[in-house]
Amino acid sequence: MDLLTFFMLAVPLVLFAAVVILHPSPVYSAMSLVVVMSFLALYFFFLDAHMLGWFQIIVYAGSIMVLFLFVIMLLNLQNDPQEHQQPSLRTASRIGGAVLIAELVFLFSRSSSSEKAAAELPEGFGTVVALSEKLFTDFLIPFEITSILLLIAAVGAVVLAKR
Amino acid sequence: MAEALARQLEDTLDPTSEVMSLQMGPSHPATHGTVKFNLKLDGEKILDMDVEIGYLHRGFEKMCEQRTWNHVVPYTDRLNYISPLINNAGFALAAERLLDIQAPERCQYIRMIMSEISRMADHFTCLGMAAAEAGAISVAFYGLEARETLFDIITAVTGARLTVSYARVGGVTQDLPEGFAERVRGAFKDIRAVMSDCDNLLSKNRIFIERMSGVGVLSKEDAISYGVTGPLLRASGVAYDVRKSDPYLFYDRVDFDVPTGTEGDNYDRFSVRFEEIRQSMRIIDQALDQIPEGPVRVDDPRISLPQKKDVYGNIEGLMNHFKLVIEGVKIPPGEVYQAVEGGNGELGFYLVSDGSGRPYRVRVRPPCFFGMAALGQMLKGYMISDIITTFGMVNMIGGECDR
Amino acid sequence: MAPISYHLILSGILFTIGVMGVLLRRNTIIIFMAIELMLNAVNLSFVALARHLGSMDGQLIVLFVMAVAAAEAAVGLAIILMVFRNKETINADELKLMRW
Amino acid sequence: MIDIAISAILTVFILANIMNLGGLLLWVERKGSAILQDRIGANRAALLGKLPINIGIINTLVADPIKLFTKEDFVPPNADKFLHWMAPILAMVPALIAFIAIPFGDILVIGEREINLQAANLNVGILYILGMVSLGVYGVVLAGWASNSRWALLGGIRASAQMISYEIALGLALIGVVMTFGTLDLQEIARAQGHMIGGVLPGWGIFYQPVAFFIFLTAGIAESKRIPFDLPEAEAELISGYFTEYSGAKQATFMLVDFLESIIVAGLITTLFFGGWQVPFLMRDGLHLPGDIFYPLPSLLVTLVQHGAFVTKLAFFCWLQIMIRWTLPRFRYDQLINLGWKILLPIALANVLVTGLMILIFQA
């Protein structure tokens, strides 16, 4: 993946991620997050994770975020009236976050492109076959546990929402 | 009033309240006949429902006091405008009871036949529109087609589709046209075909049954205490039909059943109306066999208008005509309540006469008014979609309900 | 292929934005979205490392993270709905009591 | 370079055709319903003054868009202007671009070059279409929210719940198909249906996955929000649901999206269950009739016949959806959700299980 593509994806990612946490309207936040998810999916494509890219769109952009929107609309949330939090904590977190990001950007400018080159990709990297072969052999037990977790979550959500 | 309005506004604007207040109507596609529902909703569930009627109030009862008895007849057309012939007959019957006369036998049969044809048209409209609002639009057009064949017959008899003004005190305006019986029986063939189509498309349709059954339940006791009549009451299991319990015209000479439901839900209402169309056809069939030849108006110059040739030909006829038109039929003082079975239930005319040519007081008991009163009770706890089907089955006709 | 550090730093920036969202916002749904953002930042580094090392393991972890995130979103949003029903607010500052 | 050009040409070809088909469907819906209901239907607007023949089709294809696109574009005063404007676009784009993964023919041979008749040759075509379908919900939901109208909001909420619920049944029905054919590539799936079962029965997906077909049809109609699943826009209940507050071109867009979605559903049904562009007995080199009879045919003719077959099947399923739309009443919200979760989902799961068992049995 060349640098131009990287920046074409990275800049909107950061911008929309910022909109997610800064916009007063929850709907705009959610929609920005959808954009972030979609850009991440593109990012995954360029990192040769084709399957994951589609999963990212279907699962995150297609389902989880619709769920968020559904709840926002169901509660009919308007813009946040005011954020009444301890101002000191607010300032501290703002400064801390800004410093951290600045540090990362600084690191970024310092990082050289003379690192160890990426490994050669094996045949069929990131395809359905490669993914599922691993999934159903090495990761079989985690896979089953995850499925049980999903089931529990589904039951839990139904029970909670019904009460 | 202002306080209530303010509270309502507050409810509407409160963003954190999960209860959403929604005003359905008066120009909502489902509120045909202009009516407004003030809803309190939790998601799609109806917490509270307030029915607001009166958008079509025209002062019918007051208007009648300014007109002679026969001039009231066109106003009655505008009550339940789908079945105006029943209203005509009801008003004429009431006036005749005040006069203490009987219309000629042929006239009574004609009124009965035309009432039943109107009832069928009414039920077809109700069922078709209910289906259309449930989404099955094709069925609505089939129902309208059947109604149109009936309206054709009505046009042939009366000269108008809706504003028929067919009855007069002491008779009807004109005799039946040539070949009426054959025409009606021919139309029945088409109607039976339409009904079997509707049967296949709706009565056996799983989606439709689930939309209708168990929805808008009105118990027998509630129905009676709300004063609901007609198909609504019969669907709740009370076999009350004015035609049976208090026969007018010659309903005691024909054989017919009063279909009833068991649950009091929309599906029962649907079935009751559907079955009533069949019973109406039975009644008309028998009446067409029994109908005698003879005059269609009472032979009394104080009540019936003279022949046109007398009006134009001799002074007595002209004067008679003049007196009847300008002063009206003189009905002796008294009061009367005459009920007929309208498309939606007991349609009652309470008339008071002071002996002049005009009614002193006219009061109509509109059948769907009581259905609308019970609507809130029927729908509490159900969903928005159920309003549509239940309201369709109550079959509110604005002209009748608001007068 | 851009150097691996680029991807990791981008991931770090996204994660920081997520953390700031949690700290700054008081609307639980937005906090929740910020958490999703953090999860995605981590996913990003997993995928980048998987690409760098030429091994599928990273991608598989991401798959699991997605499944868990879906479960988390379902339960979390159900909880938020419940809280809103009981408290009529989803402002994190007003939800001080653990029991409701 | 030439490959890119070919892809571009194919994409333009598909988009142009699909847009036309969408407009045509509007006419079929009007005229077809009129025939069904004993009405006359769209018949105003004649070509060159008064022609003896009624060409209502001109009306719906030309006059209607002109009328809709020149109407005032009204935005409610308290609406969210930006999202109100974005929503139709967000609804339209996924519906349009989903088509590029659907193959509409086998290969077209021009000189030495073999062109795969599929605008984008995606090896995960099914996932792509699922992704696009799941993105399509945003336009609807945002339209409902941005209009700042209670009716629209109710429509938006209904739409989001309905589309998420039925996506699951849709996806599980697809898994049965994917298991049968062992690929996610729609062109490969279409090619795999070219054989004959027992020499007479075409090897179409419906004969392997009949249950999945019915689930897919049901869930597909639900995804395209048409009767009996048109609750988000149920005109008797919610006026127009999520696009109550839209007018002019934007409303036309939403209407067109409905048709586009039903064309996608028809295209997917055709490809997955009815052999796509396959014609029974017709192979790439000619007609193979039972009993080893073989008529060689020119490659171009075969391609044209196959494309014709695809279009015919597509048209049939579009028509089928329109007929369903004019026949059935619509569900109620709770019944709809029940149907999705309590009936379709278990059946789809059982179908996946049975398919897996069958594959195990027949491979062993």
Side-chain angles (χ1 to χ4, degrees):
Chain A
M1 193 167 96
D2 59 287
L3 282 176
L4 184 66
T5 334
F6 172 79
F7 281 110
M8 275 169 65
L9 292 171
V11 173
L13 261 178
V14 173
L15 285 181
F16 279 104
V19 173
V20 172
I21 63 156
L22 293 179
H23 205 283
S25 162
V27 171
Y28 275 86
S29 290
M31 284 317 291
S32 311
L33 197 51
V34 173
V35 178
V36 170
M37 300 300 180
S38 311
F39 270 103
L40 270 178
L42 287 180
Y43 208 103
F44 287 179
F45 292 142
F46 286 107
L47 285 173
D48 294 298
H50 301 286
M51 276 301 281
L52 278 185
W54 291 117
F55 281 146
Q56 178 84 7
I57 287 185
I58 295 172
V59 175
Y60 265 118
S63 307
I64 296 183
M65 290 320 295
V66 179
L67 216 58
F68 270 96
L69 267 184
F70 179 76
V71 172
I72 292 171
M73 284 168 61
L74 202 66
L75 303 183
N76 207 358
L77 293 182
Q78 304 300 320
N79 293 0
D80 287 351
Q82 68 264 1
E83 308 264 358
H84 38 83
Q85 196 195 13
Q86 291 160 348
S88 54
L89 193 56
R90 269 176 88 80
T91 326
S93 50
R94 266 186 193 146
I95 293 172
V99 168
L100 201 53
I101 288 181
E103 213 170 289
L104 284 166
V105 171
F106 176 68
L107 267 180
F108 185 81
S109 64
R110 287 288 300 275
S111 66
S112 60
S113 44
S114 63
E115 293 172 26
K116 203 175 83 179
E120 280 298 303
L121 288 188
E123 185 71 17
F125 182 80
T127 57
V128 191
V129 180
L131 204 67
S132 39
E133 260 176 18
K134 273 261 179 189
L135 191 63
F136 295 117
T137 53
D138 297 353
F139 287 81
L140 185 62
I141 293 173
F143 176 73
E144 295 296 340
I145 293 174
T146 315
S147 62
I148 291 173
L149 177 76
L150 274 175
L151 182 66
I152 295 172
V155 173
V158 169
V159 169
L160 271 175
K162 250 200 157 170
R163 193 135 34 111
Chain B
M1 183 67 199
E3 195 188 334
L5 256 178
R7 206 168 53 231
Q8 195 177 352
L9 201 65
E10 202 176 298
D11 285 354
T12 319
L13 296 177
D14 184 5
T16 58
S17 151
E18 231 187 318
V19 178
M20 177 154 94
S21 66
L22 188 69
Q23 282 152 32
M24 198 174 193
S27 60
H28 183 278
T31 57
H32 46 74
T34 43
V35 59
K36 190 166 110 182
F37 307 130
N38 294 320
L39 304 173
K40 290 264 183 291
L41 298 174
D42 174 17
E44 296 241 339
K45 215 174 98 190
I46 301 162
L47 297 178
D48 192 25
M49 176 167 172
D50 182 25
V51 181
E52 221 176 287
I53 59 166
Y55 286 91
L56 213 62
H57 177 65
R58 314 177 300 287
F60 164 83
E61 290 166 355
K62 202 70 189 162
M63 274 197 296
C64 293
E65 294 167 17
Q66 316 299 320
R67 295 287 179 273
T68 64
W69 291 96
N70 272 330
H71 284 169
V72 171
V73 172
Y75 289 152
T76 62
D77 289 345
R78 276 82 172 166
L79 284 174
N80 183 343
Y81 36 75
I82 312 290
S83 51
L85 287 152
I86 302 180
N87 314 340
N88 281 187
F91 176 76
L93 277 172
E96 282 159 19
R97 253 177 68 184
L98 266 179
L99 270 168
D100 204 17
I101 57 164
Q102 284 277 325
E105 211 161 277
R106 183 174 175 81
C107 161
Q108 303 238 30
Y109 271 112
I110 291 175
R111 283 181 185 169
M112 192 160 99
I113 292 167
M114 297 314 284
S115 292
E116 291 310 312
I117 288 178
S118 278
R119 187 184 324 281
M120 286 164 70
D122 198 304
H123 286 349
F124 268 123
T125 316
C126 170
L127 300 181
M129 284 303 128
E133 278 156 12
I137 299 168
S138 298
V139 185
F141 280 101
Y142 298 157
L144 290 189
E145 205 177 287
R147 189 184 80 170
E148 231 30 58
T149 55
L150 294 168
F151 275 175
D152 282 349
I153 295 173
I154 292 175
T155 314
V157 175
T158 70
R161 283 172 84 247
L162 292 174
T163 52
V164 290
S165 309
Y166 187 49
R168 291 288 181 274
V169 178
V172 291
T173 51
Q174 62 244 357
D175 203 348
L176 297 176
E178 298 262 315
F180 177 75
E182 294 76 55
R183 188 163 179 179
V184 170
R185 291 199 168 113
F188 282 0
K189 230 173 266 165
D190 298 346
I191 286 167
R192 289 206 174 89
V194 168
M195 286 180 73
S196 86
D197 278 352
C198 292
D199 216 24
N200 290 330
L201 280 167
L202 294 179
S203 313
K204 291 171 191 156
N205 185 325
R206 181 82 189 277
I207 302 175
F208 189 72
I209 294 171
E210 287 198 1
R211 274 300 292 277
M212 302 296 265
S213 63
V215 170
V217 177
L218 192 65
S219 69
K220 204 186 257 184
E221 294 73 31
D222 280 348
I224 292 171
S225 61
Y226 270 106
V228 169
T229 48
L232 281 180
L233 180 66
R234 291 196 279 276
S236 295
V238 185
Y240 173 74
D241 189 320
V242 184
R243 291 174 294 176
K244 278 277 189 210
S245 63
D246 191 9
Y248 55 99
L249 298 173
F250 291 138
Y251 280 111
D252 46 354
R253 294 194 198 171
V254 289
D255 184 28
F256 67 100
D257 301 326
V258 177
T260 54
T262 47
E263 308 291 325
D265 59 3
N266 280 339
Y267 191 71
D268 276 349
R269 287 167 199 149
F270 178 84
S271 315
V272 164
R273 277 187 196 265
F274 208 74
E275 185 53 36
E276 274 184 26
I277 298 177
R278 292 210 179 90
Q279 297 301 332
S280 290
M281 287 199 272
R282 242 176 99 188
I283 295 173
I284 295 171
D285 252 350
Q286 296 170 45
L288 283 174
D289 289 338
Q290 294 174 9
I291 186 166
E293 289 298 318
V296 294
R297 267 175 287 177
V298 286
D299 188 21
D300 184 341
R302 287 169 305 170
I303 296 167
S304 298
L305 287 175
Q307 296 289 319
K308 272 281 179 268
K309 73 174 187 334
D310 291 331
V311 179
Y312 294 129
N314 56 53
I315 186 68
E316 289 80 12
L318 183 61
M319 282 169 66
N320 188 359
H321 185 272
F322 182 83
K323 291 282 272 185
L324 272 180
V325 171
I326 301 300
E327 289 178 2
V329 184
K330 292 279 184 351
I331 292 187
E335 52 189 272
V336 69
Y337 177 78
Q338 169 71 45
V340 290
E341 182 70 21
N344 292 325
E346 180 179 334
L347 173 73
F349 285 92
Y350 173 68
L351 307 179
V352 183
S353 172
D354 58 356
S356 70
R358 290 147 208 261
Y360 180 74
R361 172 84 172 101
V362 174
R363 153 83 188 147
V364 175
R365 179 204 191 275
C368 57
F369 180 83
F370 300 87
M372 292 307 285
L375 192 62
Q377 164 90 10
M378 287 186 224
L379 280 170
K380 229 165 266 179
Y382 292 96
M383 306 183 86
I384 292 186
S385 312
D386 298 330
I387 298 180
I388 315 301
T389 47
T390 313
F391 180 65
M393 279 296 124
V394 170
N395 192 24
M396 176 218 183
I397 307 281
E400 178 182 76
C401 188
D402 299 342
R403 286 158 290 148
Chain C
M1 159 103 188
I4 180 70
S5 56
Y6 281 28
H7 302 303
L8 295 182
I9 287 167
L10 176 64
S11 161
I13 292 176
L14 286 180
F15 193 88
T16 315
I17 293 176
V19 174
M20 284 179 75
V22 173
L23 289 174
L24 288 174
R25 298 303 292 265
R26 296 294 87 200
N27 184 332
T28 18
I29 285 195
I30 295 191
I31 292 179
F32 205 7
M33 284 195 235
I35 293 173
E36 295 290 336
L37 196 59
M38 282 146 73
L39 282 175
N40 273 287
V42 175
N43 281 356
L44 176 57
S45 56
F46 269 122
V47 174
L49 283 170
R51 172 71 184 75
H52 187 70
L53 301 174
S55 143
M56 290 294 290
D57 291 5
Q59 296 196 8
L60 279 159
I61 298 290
V62 172
L63 208 58
F64 289 122
V65 171
M66 280 185 194
V68 174
E72 175 219 348
V75 178
L77 288 171
I79 291 175
I80 289 179
L81 267 180
M82 275 307 292
V83 170
F84 188 82
R85 272 197 195 148
N86 283 291
K87 287 274 183 184
E88 297 225 329
T89 179
I90 53 165
N91 188 321
D93 280 347
E94 290 169 31
L95 304 172
K96 289 175 195 157
L97 295 173
M98 279 298 282
R99 61 187 171 82
W100 33 274
Chain D
M1 195 60 211
I2 289 178
D3 286 339
I4 294 175
I6 289 171
S7 281
I9 291 169
L10 286 179
T11 311
V12 169
F13 174 76
I14 285 194
L15 290 189
N17 271 321
I18 293 304
M19 292 294 267
N20 275 332
L21 198 54
L24 203 61
L25 267 190
L26 185 62
W27 178 71
V28 172
E29 168 137 319
R30 285 184 168 188
K31 202 72 186 176
S33 70
I35 294 168
L36 193 72
Q37 297 165 350
D38 262 351
R39 292 185 287 119
I40 295 168
N43 69 342
R44 302 287 130 170
L47 203 59
L48 306 172
K50 278 191 178 171
L51 278 186
I53 330 148
N54 267 333
I55 31 177
I57 187 167
I58 301 292
N59 186 10
T60 340
L61 285 186
V62 181
D64 261 14
I66 290 175
K67 183 198 122 195
L68 281 169
F69 280 81
T70 50
K71 283 218 161 184
E72 184 195 355
D73 177 25
F74 181 75
V75 182
N78 290 326
D80 189 314
K81 302 259 176 342
F82 176 66
L83 290 182
H84 191 268
W85 172 79
M86 274 295 285
I89 300 173
L90 279 177
M92 183 81 159
V93 170
L96 264 184
I97 61 177
F99 283 101
I100 61 170
I102 295 179
F104 55 92
D106 189 4
I107 48 167
L108 180 66
V109 182
I110 298 177
E112 291 297 296
R113 185 173 281 276
E114 287 192 347
I115 299 169
N116 192 9
L117 288 183
Q118 186 188 19
N121 187 17
L122 293 166
N123 59 2
V124 285
I126 288 184
L127 283 188
Y128 168 76
I129 289 186
L130 266 185
M132 289 308 123
V133 166
S134 60
L135 286 185
V137 67
Y138 284 110
V140 173
V141 173
L142 283 182
W145 188 82
S147 301
N148 194 23
S149 150
R150 274 139 213 258
W151 304 109
L153 186 70
L154 281 174
I157 292 177
R158 281 183 176 189
S160 56
Q162 171 179 340
M163 290 178 83
I164 287 193
S165 305
Y166 279 78
E167 241 167 58
I168 292 170
L170 194 82
L172 281 174
L174 284 178
I175 283 178
V177 180
V178 171
M179 285 166 80
T180 312
F181 295 112
T183 173
L184 289 167
D185 186 340
L186 287 167
Q187 182 69 292
E188 287 306 313
I189 289 178
R191 285 200 180 117
Q193 299 177 47
H195 64 281
M196 290 285 163
I197 306 171
V200 281
L201 199 61
W204 292 351
I206 177 137
F207 299 115
Y208 292 106
Q209 289 283 327
V211 180
F213 166 67
F214 285 106
I215 296 171
F216 189 87
L217 182 65
T218 316
I221 295 176
E223 283 291 311
S224 58
K225 305 182 287 295
R226 291 171 66 77
I227 284 183
F229 302 102
D230 76 332
L231 286 119
E233 55 198 82
E235 77 283 342
E237 298 158 23
L238 301 185
I239 303 170
S240 281
Y242 56 91
F243 62 89
T244 303
E245 304 291 343
Y246 280 85
S247 62
K250 291 177 186 167
Q251 192 214 6
T253 313
F254 277 120
M255 284 162 68
L256 189 59
V257 168
D258 270 14
F259 287 108
L260 291 182
E261 280 171 346
S262 57
I263 300 173
I264 299 182
V265 171
L268 278 177
I269 289 174
T270 306
T271 309
L272 297 172
F273 299 102
F274 287 88
W277 37 262
Q278 297 279 6
V279 180
F281 306 115
L282 188 67
M283 300 292 161
R284 207 175 276 184
D285 50 354
L287 208 53
H288 291 263
L289 290 177
D292 284 341
I293 311 165
F294 175 60
Y295 298 104
L297 290 171
S299 146
L300 188 66
L301 181 67
V302 170
T303 306
L304 281 178
V305 167
Q306 285 176 338
H307 180 62
F310 175 78
V311 172
T312 314
K313 292 174 191 173
L314 184 79
F316 173 77
F317 284 105
C318 289
W319 175 82
L320 182 72
Q321 290 183 59
I322 286 178
M323 286 303 111
I324 291 174
R325 184 235 184 285
W326 289 107
T327 312
L328 293 179
R330 75 172 68 82
F331 283 98
R332 204 169 60 210
Y333 186 53
D334 55 333
Q335 290 163 356
L336 173 106
I337 301 294
N338 276 352
L339 178 71
W341 287 100
K342 291 191 187 161
I343 299 174
L344 289 186
L345 183 64
I347 294 178
L349 279 172
N351 182 49
V352 170
L353 191 71
V354 170
T355 309
L357 284 177
M358 296 302 259
I359 289 174
L360 271 185
I361 291 168
F362 282 111
Q363 278 180 351

